[in-house]
Amino acid sequence: MPTVSVKRDLLFRALGRTYTDEEFDELCFEFGLELDEITSEKEIISKEQGNEKAHGASDVVLYKIDVPANRYDLLCLEGLVRGLQVFKERIKTPMYKRVMPKGEVQKLIITEETAKIRPYAVAAVLRNIKFTKDRYDSFIELQEKLHQNICRKRALVAIGTHDLDTLSGPFTYTAKKPSDIKFKPLNKSKEYTACELMNIYKTDNQLKHYLHIIENKPLYPVIYDSNGVVLSMPPIINGNHSKITVNTKNVFIECTGTDFTKAKIVLDVIVTMFSEYCENQFTVEAAEVVFPNGKLHTFPELAYRKEMVRADLINKKVGIRETPENLAKLLTRMCLKSEVIGDGNQIEVEIPPTRADIIHACDIIEDAAIAYGYNNIQMTLPKTYTIANQFPLNKLTELLRQDMAAAGFTEALTFALCSQEDIADKLGMDISATKAVHISNPKTAEFQVARTTLLPGLLKTLAANRKMPLPLKLFEISDIVIKDSSRDVGARNYRHLCAVYYNKNPGFEIIHGLLDRIMQLLDVPPGEKKGGYAIKASEETDLKKCHC
Amino acid sequence: MADGPVAEVLLRRLEAADGGLDSAELATELGVEHQSVVGAVKSLQALGQIIETELRSTKRWELTTEGEEIAQEGSHEARVFRSIPPEGLPQSELMRLPSGKVGFSKAMSNKWIRVDKSAADGPRVFRVVDSVEDEVQRRLQLVRGGQAEKLGEKERSELRKRKLLTEVGSWRDRPFKPYNFSAHGVLPDSGHLHPLLKVRSQFRQIFLEMGFTEMPTDNYIESSFWNFDALFQPQQHPARDQHDTFFLRDPAQAQQLPMDYVHRVKRTHSQGGYGSQGYKYNWKLDEARKNLLRTHTTAASARALYRLAQKKPFTPAKYFSIDRVFRNETLDATHLAEFHQIEGVVADHGLTLGHLMGVLREFFTKLGITQLRFKPAYNPYTEPSMEIFSYHQGLKKWVEVGNSGIFRPEMLLPMGLPENVSVIAWGLSLERPTMIKYGINNIRELVGHKVNLQMVYDSPLCRLDAERGPPSTQEAA
């Protein structure tokens, strides 16, 4: 869940009133947000780096607010305020408009070289925007939040924002050999080739995480203006030339990526949030993107969609009885402008470009329920009549556990994942003979395989409890995993029972006796000839174990 | 130690003595209770090879009041004998004598006297012998003289039976050492169930009480298809990242998938359908085939619901499961790479959010949690979604206790479930409530081989609905 950090006083000023921490926490809860932490820059620095470093840092109160992962429109102060003000019916949700410029429209031409690496690009212009320090910081922070979330750490989409007045269009989005790309990147004073940059950024704590996206590609994506100035080398870094500042008036925004839908959503979110500060509020200047096939698209899409939902469906799914008019009002409070039409039971809902999360009627129903207030919904019990059944394997396990404890053995609970060594080498077996499933991306050796026997876990439990008085008698009934090509996934679980007896003297008769007891409990007679059980020496390993 | 000084004296004396010491003699000598000498001996014994001991019993005998009288006056039978004149005595008169009744039968069995029943004035008693040896008196006099050991065991016990003799120090007369109720008893040898699994049993019980059927979850290995795609979780979702999920190298791919259903899922993701816009991306079968260690038991719920959808006509169902799930996460004091998930599912016609909340209220009431409230939330496969919060008396704030919602139509309809069937579901972890219940801060002490077995031994029963409040905070309030 993304966390947005906003200055409390700035937030309250924008909301037009102040709240106590408890009141604001309550408002967040109702709306589906979570006031996660109340802190300050000073406090954060002192917590992370110590009190000394925090000296002189700002002690302006910060609210850290958890935002649902699908609500990209709430990832900045502007969006949060807008959402809450509409929810509290203090403002109406704005209409976002795309306008064509009076003069020439900005053009971004995509060349076909990008096809194999990062084929999509969209663009737009925020004209006559007025930044302040706080607005500027929020603008940068929103891009970062989008990068971390919907953009999947820039893998799907990367955003570049530029001072349009330093550039001259049309722009070209192409891909070149790294050695052929040379420019002065953001906040550096000299030019580097792309190869050099990739090396430099290996030690950059922020940028090193994005290098892998293009690192091994023969061509790197790059955007030029008509004078050959590099705007950006997505998804790594922008050029320093077009860097935006607090004084920037006109912002050119480009989003490149591998997921066209997400690129369009990201662009819509940025422009809807920050067009608030444009001379013509909530209007966005269009840009044209020419695709390699020659087709011309105009962005941002800022598409409004109409959905029809029946009032009784909302009532039925939520478990309330509201009039269609009231339901329309509830939805309008969630930035979904709605009105009753047709037979008086139909509600027409307008989905704004900020609400990419609304993809089905159930999303609309949820918003109606949120506005109604989850905690105002009458609780009822479903009349569903059913007879309960236990899963037979678990039923037996529960019975057997009780009797294992009654036999004086203590239950252990060990990990299902372990190292190859645990199930093979340490038991004197070859790993290939274990038929174990192997994990492809373990962070440590503890998670290389799923266990094929419970024994290592019990032995490790003994080892960790050597200070305990002897004897130690342990058991575990749990699942192990073995490859099995007859199963859809190529592996299956087996339920095993394993027990160990640990003392100064061997006491094999004790573990043997336990086995006899288990067989007694399971009603299996001794003696192979009678169809019962017998124990034999195992050749697999020189450790004694009992399987059931 | 209370008997420290006695033990010390004891050791000193032992060092000096030849051939050991008698504890009783030592007690008299030191002027302490015999028990404190015994206590000192016991605690020295407990230290190991320090002293050798040998159990000796000595007995002392003394006369009862009656025995005292007999030693003085002679036995009842002798007194009877002596009171009979040569001409005999009527039996009725004899019986009126103080020693008459007891003395008569003894004297008869000693054949000292006889009864003539044919006498004119009723039965008459005569002497048979001229004189008698009063053996009983002699023996009692021996005892009185401190020479009880001269008597045989049989003779002594005969006298004891006649209540003429008692053993000094017999338990009847001795003061008992008082029970020490503040000391710990000796715990019985026993096996113990693991606390987390005790809690699991209780959760199972609660679901069964509520009429929920247990789903099979004995498949740790799952395909991405059932774990994610079937749940309408898009293929670029962060949960499907290498950083969050354990993928398998071998077997890397699920070979069998229900292809008809797979195509419906693919269409719903990439183009929409069933009233949905879809996610509008290029859905890849290879991605769906990738095997992994299931990241939630909802994968098992998806399989169960798919099976339910194949049964015609639709029958309502209530399902639950409690089993392990796996996350390739950063580990800390409360997070492990594997943990247990508890999940409840109800499928029926016309279920509402109000129904979900009603079921949750009943479920949590059984856990002893009555103050609930619900917060809007986002889950990829439920809409509406609600996080469940309960008021924590100790922390004095609302804490999240579970997550819930109504499964998205984009998940249910491709399975083939009827359109008017809703499925409500909720989930929580097993570890968190267990750690709270048993006051465990580090999850490694609870789960895995580093478990503290003493904690397992000592953990009380799991009675979720009979929870005591946290005492410290109640006092503070």
Side-chain angles (χ1 to χ4, degrees):
Chain A
M1 203 188 283
T3 304
V4 179
S5 176
V6 295
K7 289 182 181 166
R8 182 192 62 189
D9 295 347
L10 214 57
L11 176 72
F12 288 173
R13 205 174 313 143
L15 288 171
R17 60 159 286 185
T18 59
Y19 292 82
T20 64
D21 293 341
E22 290 74 27
E23 283 168 344
F24 191 71
D25 181 60
E26 196 61 38
L27 174 63
C28 283
F29 194 95
E30 198 188 345
F31 192 59
L33 303 168
E34 204 172 328
L35 180 55
D36 186 47
E37 203 186 343
I38 301 163
T39 180
S40 70
E41 214 168 286
K42 194 172 189 169
E43 211 180 306
I44 297 171
I45 297 174
S46 105
K47 219 185 269 174
E48 286 171 1
Q49 305 168 31
N51 281 331
E52 280 160 38
K53 287 270 168 73
H55 188 73
S58 158
D59 44 20
V60 171
V61 178
L62 294 178
Y63 276 178
K64 289 197 156 189
I65 302 170
D66 280 350
V67 174
N70 63 341
R71 290 296 299 270
Y72 316 119
D73 59 319
L74 302 176
L75 287 175
C76 59
L77 175 93
E78 290 72 14
L80 279 171
V81 168
R82 218 174 290 163
L84 288 171
Q85 293 294 73
V86 173
F87 183 60
K88 284 287 162 194
E89 294 174 286
R90 291 196 199 105
I91 60 165
K92 287 212 162 86
T93 179
M95 272 301 286
Y96 306 101
K97 262 201 303 230
R98 183 178 76 193
V99 292
M100 296 307 281
K102 290 199 186 89
E104 200 154 332
V105 59
Q106 296 298 333
K107 235 184 205 136
L108 175 65
I109 299 148
I110 306 178
T111 71
E112 58 192 14
E113 287 85 1
T114 60
K116 276 200 182 127
I117 163 150
R118 214 173 170 81
Y120 303 108
V122 294
V125 174
L126 287 174
R127 186 66 73 177
N128 292 320
I129 193 166
K130 202 168 170 207
F131 280 126
T132 62
K133 177 72 172 60
D134 285 323
R135 290 173 183 181
Y136 176 84
D137 289 347
S138 176
F139 187 60
I140 302 295
E141 192 56 28
L142 173 64
Q143 293 174 50
E144 178 57 19
K145 293 286 173 220
L146 290 167
H147 275 149
Q148 292 310 313
N149 293 284
I150 180 174
C151 302
R152 297 300 320 285
K153 298 187 175 132
R154 304 191 187 180
L156 301 183
V157 185
I159 309 158
T161 55
H162 311 275
D163 187 338
L164 182 59
D165 298 329
T166 66
L167 300 163
S168 84
F171 307 100
T172 309
Y173 175 41
T174 185
K176 283 189 159 186
K177 276 198 229 155
S179 52
D180 294 347
I181 302 172
K182 194 168 186 191
F183 67 107
K184 196 197 284 179
L186 204 58
N187 302 328
K188 295 268 185 207
S189 50
K190 60 177 258 216
E191 289 196 343
Y192 297 92
T193 65
C195 304
E196 289 168 332
L197 282 178
M198 294 300 268
N199 258 323
I200 291 169
Y201 293 143
K202 276 204 172 82
T203 55
D204 184 301
N205 276 337
Q206 198 204 347
L207 296 179
K208 67 179 178 194
H209 302 293
Y210 311 121
L211 304 181
H212 72 97
I213 302 172
I214 56 167
E215 207 166 20
N216 299 316
K217 310 274 180 178
L219 303 179
Y220 286 3
V222 59
I223 303 177
Y224 293 100
D225 84 343
S226 61
N227 297 323
V229 172
V230 171
L231 278 72
S232 64
M233 185 177 81
I236 311 298
I237 189 84
N238 287 348
N240 196 55
H241 179 93
S242 56
K243 177 180 174 179
I244 66 161
T245 68
V246 175
N247 300 317
T248 299
K249 288 270 163 307
N250 299 301
V251 182
F252 179 69
I253 305 162
E254 37 87 7
C255 301
T256 58
T258 53
D259 186 315
F260 193 31
T261 310
K262 290 211 158 64
K264 290 190 284 190
I265 293 172
V266 167
L267 185 65
D268 277 353
V269 170
I270 295 176
V271 299
T272 51
M273 292 299 114
F274 280 87
S275 56
E276 182 176 344
Y277 302 131
C278 289
E279 197 171 53
N280 292 321
Q281 250 194 339
F282 305 118
T283 62
V284 185
E285 184 179 310
E288 287 175 349
V289 177
V290 186
F291 280 68
N293 60 7
K295 279 208 176 137
L296 189 137
H297 294 259
T298 307
F299 296 105
E301 279 195 340
L302 293 183
Y304 281 81
R305 185 174 95 237
K306 293 258 161 83
E307 292 278 356
M308 222 60 93
V309 188
R310 294 185 62 83
D312 56 4
L313 181 75
I314 299 178
N315 279 326
K316 237 172 68 187
K317 292 282 180 189
V318 179
I320 52 176
R321 271 187 230 150
E322 288 292 297
T323 62
E325 287 72 21
N326 274 346
L327 292 174
K329 232 186 255 169
L330 292 175
L331 289 170
T332 305
R333 281 176 50 205
M334 300 301 289
C335 293
L336 302 174
K337 226 164 76 189
S338 302
E339 53 183 335
V340 182
I341 56 153
D343 62 0
N345 191 17
Q346 291 278 11
I347 300 174
E348 189 186 66
V349 187
E350 188 181 67
I351 318 294
T354 44
R355 293 300 305 275
D357 59 299
I358 306 277
I359 56 173
H360 192 279
C362 68
D363 299 303
I364 296 169
I365 292 165
E366 179 182 70
D367 272 18
I370 294 173
Y372 182 84
Y374 276 7
N375 296 293
N376 300 324
I377 298 169
Q378 186 72 37
M379 297 189 203
T380 45
L381 275 181
K383 298 199 164 57
T384 313
Y385 181 81
T386 50
I387 303 284
N389 287 305
Q390 302 185 49
F391 182 52
L393 186 62
N394 291 354
K395 189 177 182 177
L396 176 64
T397 303
E398 286 291 290
L399 289 171
L400 212 45
R401 286 174 62 226
Q402 299 286 340
D403 267 300
M404 292 295 287
F409 280 69
T410 291
E411 188 171 35
L413 175 63
T414 67
F415 297 126
L417 305 183
C418 58
S419 68
Q420 289 191 22
E421 227 190 355
D422 282 342
I423 54 164
D425 314 40
K426 286 183 183 169
L427 298 180
M429 279 180 80
D430 190 74
I431 186 70
S432 59
T434 60
K435 294 208 313 203
V437 302
H438 291 258
I439 293 164
S440 65
N441 56 333
K443 280 180 188 151
T444 69
E446 291 169 87
F447 312 119
Q448 285 174 328
V449 290
R451 64 184 171 200
T452 51
T453 155
L454 299 178
L455 189 58
L458 287 189
L459 293 176
K460 285 200 263 184
T461 307
L462 289 178
N465 282 280
R466 276 171 300 185
K467 62 179 193 305
M468 293 294 292
L470 297 179
L472 290 177
K473 298 192 264 185
L474 300 179
F475 80 95
E476 183 169 18
I477 307 179
S478 192
D479 285 1
I480 59 116
V481 184
I482 301 279
K483 279 198 286 184
D484 181 344
S485 57
S486 71
R487 294 299 176 106
D488 60 349
V489 295
R492 63 161 293 190
N493 285 22
Y494 284 91
R495 181 84 26 112
H496 274 198
L497 187 162
C498 186
V500 294
Y501 173 76
Y502 175 64
N503 204 356
K504 284 184 205 153
N505 47 337
F508 177 72
E509 69 282 4
I510 291 178
I511 212 77
H512 186 182
L514 181 73
L515 179 73
D516 290 339
R517 173 65 185 146
I518 294 164
M519 291 303 162
Q520 204 175 47
L521 289 166
L522 295 173
D523 205 10
V524 181
E528 264 178 308
K529 281 187 191 140
K530 293 178 230 159
Y533 72 98
I535 54 171
K536 288 177 181 167
S538 160
E539 281 162 24
E540 276 181 11
T541 149
D542 49 5
L543 288 158
K544 305 291 174 209
K545 57 180 172 176
C546 46
H547 277 191
C548 175
Chain B
M1 214 183 291
D3 37 31
V6 180
E8 207 179 310
V9 174
L10 174 69
L11 282 176
R12 291 242 167 81
R13 295 279 178 110
L14 262 180
E15 204 175 21
D18 224 4
L21 287 172
D22 184 303
S23 59
E25 282 167 20
L26 185 66
T28 324
E29 225 175 293
L30 296 178
V32 297
E33 290 271 319
H34 184 233
Q35 273 310 315
S36 53
V37 177
V38 174
V41 169
K42 290 256 156 93
S43 52
L44 287 170
Q45 271 182 310
L47 297 175
Q49 311 283 339
I50 289 183
I51 55 169
E52 273 178 20
T53 57
E54 178 187 309
L55 194 65
R56 282 192 195 162
S57 52
T58 52
K59 285 180 181 170
R60 221 150 52 72
W61 300 86
E62 64 187 25
L63 304 184
T64 61
T65 324
E66 196 185 352
E68 202 64 58
E69 184 196 318
I70 289 170
Q72 199 84 41
E73 316 270 341
S75 65
H76 298 295
E77 55 271 32
R79 278 188 262 172
V80 163
F81 178 82
R82 282 199 292 270
S83 56
I84 299 172
E87 67 279 16
L89 196 68
Q91 191 181 7
S92 55
E93 207 173 306
L94 180 84
M95 286 305 182
R96 280 196 292 273
L97 294 175
S99 301
K101 274 181 193 159
V102 189
F104 172 74
S105 55
K106 270 285 167 194
M108 281 294 285
S109 70
N110 285 352
K111 298 212 166 68
W112 290 348
I113 56 173
R114 66 177 173 88
V115 182
D116 181 1
K117 288 188 179 162
S118 59
D121 50 351
R124 204 173 175 86
V125 184
F126 295 93
R127 286 189 182 188
V128 175
V129 293
D130 293 336
S131 67
V132 296
E133 279 287 316
D134 192 351
E135 195 56 26
V136 173
Q137 187 183 27
R138 191 188 65 83
R139 286 174 190 164
L140 288 177
Q141 280 169 348
L142 269 180
V143 172
R144 194 166 58 172
Q147 293 178 297
E149 66 273 13
K150 288 197 174 157
L151 297 179
E153 185 66 36
K154 203 176 153 201
E155 292 155 346
R156 272 202 304 260
S157 88
E158 204 174 285
L159 292 173
R160 201 157 58 101
K161 270 186 206 148
R162 290 182 67 177
K163 300 213 166 84
L164 304 177
L165 204 59
T166 58
E167 192 183 326
V168 177
S170 140
W171 61 271
R172 283 178 205 278
D173 312 324
R174 298 294 301 271
F176 277 70
K177 185 185 177 190
Y179 286 117
N180 182 359
F181 295 117
S182 60
H184 288 291
V186 177
L187 288 176
D189 284 334
S190 65
H192 308 266
L193 294 174
H194 191 281
L196 188 83
L197 301 179
K198 288 202 267 200
V199 180
R200 183 181 72 179
S201 297
Q202 287 314 301
F203 273 102
R204 275 185 97 242
Q205 185 64 34
I206 288 169
F207 277 114
L208 293 170
E209 284 168 10
M210 291 175 70
F212 283 66
T213 283
E214 194 170 27
M215 290 182 271
T217 48
D218 58 333
N219 57 317
Y220 294 163
I221 309 301
E222 193 51 278
S223 60
S224 292
F225 179 78
W226 286 109
N227 196 79
F228 294 125
D229 296 285
L231 300 174
F232 196 53
Q233 203 153 345
Q235 296 190 327
Q236 315 85 348
H237 193 276
R240 303 181 71 154
D241 203 283
Q242 297 274 333
H243 294 293
D244 293 289
T245 300
F246 287 115
F247 288 93
L248 289 199
R249 170 161 64 77
D250 180 25
Q253 286 205 327
Q255 293 307 322
Q256 303 152 37
L257 293 175
M259 287 317 284
D260 267 14
Y261 172 43
V262 168
H263 285 302
R264 292 195 294 274
V265 168
K266 174 183 178 169
R267 203 176 52 230
T268 315
H269 277 245
S270 54
Q271 301 160 33
Y274 307 103
S276 176
Q277 300 287 311
Y279 292 123
K280 301 195 175 87
Y281 71 98
N282 184 11
W283 189 90
K284 296 191 182 92
L285 182 61
D286 276 352
E287 195 63 38
R289 281 196 194 279
K290 281 187 184 169
N291 275 336
L292 44 79
L293 279 149
R294 66 168 174 229
T295 63
H296 47 196
T297 47
T298 317
S301 304
R303 283 181 185 263
L305 288 169
Y306 177 72
R307 280 194 300 270
L308 181 69
Q310 310 318 304
K311 276 195 264 171
K312 309 282 176 195
F314 170 80
T315 38
K318 295 197 287 203
Y319 293 140
F320 82 94
S321 68
I322 311 170
D323 210 340
R324 279 180 211 244
V325 297
F326 304 84
R327 306 266 170 96
N328 195 6
E329 281 181 334
T330 316
L331 312 179
D332 60 34
T334 53
H335 291 88
L336 288 173
E338 48 188 279
F339 61 96
H340 290 73
Q341 214 170 41
I342 302 167
E343 189 156 316
V345 176
V346 185
D348 201 354
H349 296 282
L351 292 178
T352 69
L353 215 46
H355 285 136
L356 172 61
M357 291 160 68
V359 174
L360 289 171
R361 183 183 56 192
E362 296 305 317
F363 179 78
F364 281 97
T365 300
K366 281 178 175 286
L367 298 177
I369 295 172
T370 46
Q371 253 180 303
L372 285 187
R373 64 175 191 164
F374 302 90
K375 175 179 154 309
Y378 169 68
N379 299 317
Y381 41 88
T382 57
E383 190 85 7
S385 309
M386 35 174 66
E387 282 171 0
I388 311 151
F389 282 72
S390 93
Y391 191 74
H392 193 285
Q393 297 291 348
L395 300 172
K396 291 260 168 287
K397 65 173 192 177
W398 292 88
V399 294
E400 195 193 329
V401 292
N403 211 333
S404 68
I406 302 182
F407 281 133
R408 293 191 73 98
E410 291 101 321
M411 165 182 163
L412 301 179
L413 296 176
M415 287 179 171
L417 284 168
E419 207 163 329
N420 55 356
V421 165
S422 294
V423 181
I424 59 179
W426 75 99
L428 56 155
S429 95
L430 178 62
E431 278 77 358
R432 213 169 111 83
T434 308
M435 286 172 78
I436 293 170
K437 171 164 177 51
Y438 289 105
I440 296 164
N441 294 321
N442 187 346
I443 196 165
R444 281 174 183 74
E445 284 176 25
L446 177 70
V447 184
H449 55 266
K450 288 185 184 148
V451 66
N452 175 359
L453 279 179
Q454 192 62 48
M455 178 277 295
V456 176
Y457 291 173
D458 295 345
S459 74
L461 292 177
C462 173
R463 299 165 69 215
L464 294 169
D465 52 350
E467 204 76 347
R468 281 177 308 171
S472 57
T473 47
Q474 275 179 353
E475 275 160 30

